[in-house]
Amino acid sequence: MSNGDGVGRGTAHAGHLGRAREATGGDRFVAGPDAVAPTARARALAVLRVRGAALAVALLPAAAAVVLTVGTATGHVPRGSAWDVARPAVTALAVLSLLLAAGVAAVVARARPALSPTVPIPEGTAPDLYRLVRDLADRLGVPAPSAIALTPDCDSWLEDRTHPAHGPGRRPLPRLRRRAVTAPVLVIGSPFLWWMRVSELRALLAPVVAGTGPAAHPDIAAARRFVRGLDAAVAVAADRRWLAFVGWVARLLLRACRDHAAEMERGVAAAASERAQAVDYGLRIVAQEQVGLAYAGWDRLLNRVALPAWRMGRWPSRLDAGVVSALTELSRRDRLAEGFASRLGERPACDLLEEPGLIDEAASLLAARLFHGGPAETGPDWSPVAWSQYPEEVVDRKWRLEAARLHRALDVLDDITPHGPGRAPGRGPGPAAPTVARVLDRLSGPAGGGVGEELEVRLTAEVAREAAREERAARRGASVAAAGSWADGLAPLFPLQPPRSGRELLADHVTAMVCCAAVDTAGATPGLDWLDGPALLVGGTRRGDLTRTVLSLIEDGDGEPLRAWLGEVGVRPEKPVRLV
């Protein structure tokens, strides 16, 4: 979705989050029909006509029943004719129609529209940020947003949270202005606050804040409430079979007004883009470049750095601070990003927060819940980890758990085929020692391909079993969660990565085994690469050439490149490694 001035969604992930959000945009806010673009207002009226037509259809049998009853009472409809038979039938149909219409209207009115999971920012914790937004709204001549919230995503939008179903107790966000009680909430992507400078953030938010104008226009506001209510009713009916009729009607009405609603949002977004050109337009071009860079760094950080920690039951507590390090590193490596890091001498937008560390921690936990799933609070199996602790508590532990899983699979394979091809010779009673030599012997040579395929199957099955156990435990914990929570099921709204293939799992496990041996026998250390995640440091320098040798072993059965690498680093493949 575009934010009026081309500020699109920061990631492809969030397009699946199912958010109920306002399109940004709008003309100068003036009370009256000329407050927004004529095209947008015309489309809003078209949506409202769909609502009126639905009401007319529901009232038609009642109107017919009234005409027949009044006509009979006044003598205009003769008694003793076919009308006497039709009148009770029409009256019954009218009552049924009114009851069904009242039921549909009640569900549409009471259904809670979906809200984006966000971190609320009270004004007391960010007075400078609120002041910046107020000043921006004044320059644009539109109402200020009612509140500000952050999302762990590279995007910004307006969201209406005034639906009565949300209730006063469910709206913890403070009001930016007392007189703007119905203004939408401004949701800002948290990576923007840490990576962008204050002037860039102001320019980026201009077309978003401009959208508060049409949000206050009565026709557009009514059309949006109608569409949101229908969408919420469809979701409610999907979970309750006895509301099937309500769901059918809501879907029918949504189809009827879908095109009008889309054109209305495009109209107000285009008007907002045009309106915001008068505010920091040149600077906004520079800010747009930072949006793309922020997305690239944020995506790499989540997939390659945060995801391994989440799978370990740990969540990095400073993701937004980490994105600055990731983007700085990207600027150093990528010629297209050269010069972007030089902006870091200017005031960052996170300085507009009184306690950026606490806000970063809350946004980091929300990111873990959104993209991985997990409890809303810390616990023995779900605890925060600082970046300084990441190599020891995440990288090293990840390697040893994967190495242990690999050797368990080898133990099972040895028991099944004790004298099969590729069987390590000279094995005594009990499990074989966990050594790199054992892995090399089983996967090298012509028989290595069959052993590798069997290992892929067993590793895939064990990883799936562990994931199922974690999901069951999470759902048991969810049973005590507060009713109405958006994440009661604790399932991720959008998983970052699809399940890994068997070949990928085997490569990861063999690499982890080699890294454990390098740490135990060659003085290597686990490390963190901001763009690539877990890294092996030998003499303080990252060794990125291990993957190629492991793939040669797995795909071709050729262990010589890996043996040469082990000799170069000084790893002793015959020495057992510590698995836990």
Side-chain angles (χ1 to χ4, degrees):
M1 174 177 267
S2 173
N3 281 333
D5 195 35
V7 184
R9 291 202 53 83
T11 78
H13 312 319
H16 300 277
L17 295 182
R19 296 172 175 162
R21 60 175 61 180
E22 297 293 334
T24 61
D27 250 351
R28 184 171 185 81
F29 177 72
V30 181
D34 297 330
V36 295
T39 302
R41 183 169 180 265
R43 292 294 185 172
L45 293 175
V47 172
L48 297 179
R49 281 196 293 272
V50 172
R51 184 183 66 178
L55 180 61
V57 170
L59 295 178
L60 185 60
V66 169
V67 169
L68 288 176
T69 302
V70 173
T72 301
T74 59
H76 290 81
V77 176
R79 296 180 180 273
S81 63
W83 294 112
D84 289 341
V85 179
R87 186 170 56 255
V90 172
T91 302
L93 178 62
V95 172
L96 178 62
S97 175
L98 290 176
L99 289 176
L100 291 175
V104 172
V107 173
V108 172
R110 295 179 60 85
R112 285 186 67 188
L115 293 182
S116 305
T118 55
V119 176
I121 306 296
E123 185 170 0
T125 65
D128 291 342
L129 180 59
Y130 274 73
R131 192 175 301 113
L132 179 147
V133 174
R134 284 195 192 100
D135 294 343
L136 186 57
D138 288 340
R139 293 176 63 183
L140 292 166
V142 297
S146 61
I148 298 175
L150 295 186
T151 179
D153 188 14
C154 292
D155 198 4
S156 297
W157 66 90
L158 294 172
E159 183 167 279
D160 184 9
R161 300 187 177 183
T162 60
H163 193 279
H166 296 142
R170 298 182 182 270
R171 292 166 59 191
L173 297 178
R175 287 180 291 184
L176 199 63
R177 285 183 172 180
R178 289 185 180 274
R179 65 180 178 84
V181 294
T182 59
V185 173
L186 173 61
V187 181
I188 305 173
S190 62
F192 293 160
L193 283 178
W194 269 259
W195 176 244
M196 290 190 169
R197 308 299 96 181
V198 172
S199 57
E200 295 171 347
L201 181 68
R202 182 176 58 245
L204 191 72
L205 293 180
V208 186
V209 174
T212 59
H217 191 280
D219 293 335
I220 291 181
R224 286 172 166 172
R225 282 195 302 270
F226 178 59
V227 173
R228 284 196 304 269
L230 292 176
D231 186 67
V234 170
V236 170
D239 296 330
R240 297 171 176 85
R241 290 186 178 181
W242 57 277
L243 290 177
F245 176 76
V246 175
W248 176 79
V249 172
R251 286 190 295 270
L252 182 65
L253 294 177
L254 277 176
R255 284 194 296 269
C257 64
R258 178 174 52 197
D259 293 339
H260 297 304
E263 289 297 327
M264 176 186 71
E265 299 298 353
R266 276 193 286 267
V268 296
S273 177
E274 181 179 355
R275 177 180 190 76
Q277 289 183 4
V279 179
D280 299 330
Y281 180 72
L283 187 58
R284 188 156 61 255
I285 297 176
V286 177
Q288 292 291 339
E289 297 176 344
Q290 301 307 317
V291 171
L293 189 63
Y295 163 62
W298 183 246
D299 189 66
R300 291 283 288 266
L301 186 75
L302 291 183
N303 280 282
R304 307 196 182 188
V305 178
L307 188 57
W310 294 339
R311 287 172 173 164
M312 301 283 297
R314 308 298 299 273
W315 53 276
S317 59
R318 294 292 187 271
L319 279 179
D320 291 303
V323 79
V324 177
S325 299
L327 291 173
T328 303
E329 180 65 18
L330 181 63
S331 301
R332 187 182 67 83
R333 297 185 192 179
D334 192 341
R335 290 188 304 105
L336 297 177
E338 286 179 0
F340 285 149
S342 62
R343 309 158 33 262
L344 299 180
E346 304 174 21
R347 186 189 182 195
C350 63
D351 277 1
L352 300 172
L353 305 173
E354 291 292 305
E355 298 184 46
L358 293 179
I359 299 299
D360 193 358
E361 185 172 348
S364 299
L365 179 57
L366 180 57
R369 299 179 69 197
L370 278 174
F371 298 116
H372 183 70
E377 298 178 356
T378 60
D381 299 322
W382 186 246
S383 56
V385 58
W387 292 125
S388 59
Q389 302 169 323
Y390 186 96
E392 185 66 26
E393 297 191 17
V394 175
V395 178
D396 186 74
R397 185 182 170 203
K398 170 182 179 293
W399 287 342
R400 297 191 187 279
L401 288 176
E402 290 182 344
R405 189 184 294 125
L406 174 63
H407 281 280
R408 285 196 301 271
L410 283 173
D411 291 340
V412 173
L413 191 59
D414 285 347
D415 292 337
I416 294 175
T417 57
H419 304 292
R423 175 73 164 82
R427 176 190 172 191
T435 65
V436 174
R438 180 192 188 192
V439 177
L440 277 167
D441 291 341
R442 295 308 305 268
L443 293 176
S444 298
V451 174
E453 292 177 359
E454 183 66 24
L455 287 176
E456 290 174 13
V457 172
R458 296 193 173 278
L459 290 174
T460 300
E462 184 168 353
V463 169
R465 285 194 297 269
E466 292 177 0
R469 284 196 298 268
E470 292 174 0
E471 183 176 352
R472 286 195 298 270
R475 294 191 180 279
R476 282 196 299 270
S479 62
V480 298
S485 170
W486 64 269
D488 284 349
L490 299 182
L493 296 184
F494 185 82
L496 283 178
Q497 292 180 339
R500 290 172 289 179
S501 67
R503 180 61 53 88
E504 291 171 334
L505 282 173
L506 180 57
D508 289 344
H509 285 67
V510 173
T511 300
M513 180 64 199
V514 175
C515 290
C516 290
V519 171
D520 290 348
T521 67
T525 57
L528 168 61
D529 185 281
W530 289 110
L531 296 177
D532 296 327
L536 180 67
L537 304 181
V538 179
T541 303
R542 180 191 174 195
R543 295 298 299 259
D545 53 348
L546 175 59
T547 302
R548 175 180 53 81
T549 64
V550 170
L551 291 177
S552 295
L553 173 66
I554 293 174
E555 296 178 353
D556 305 325
D558 183 5
E560 292 308 314
L562 180 55
R563 288 190 174 91
W565 187 94
L566 296 172
E568 179 185 347
V569 174
V571 177
R572 299 177 60 183
E574 75 283 357
K575 294 283 290 184
V577 302
R578 177 174 60 87
L579 297 181
V580 292

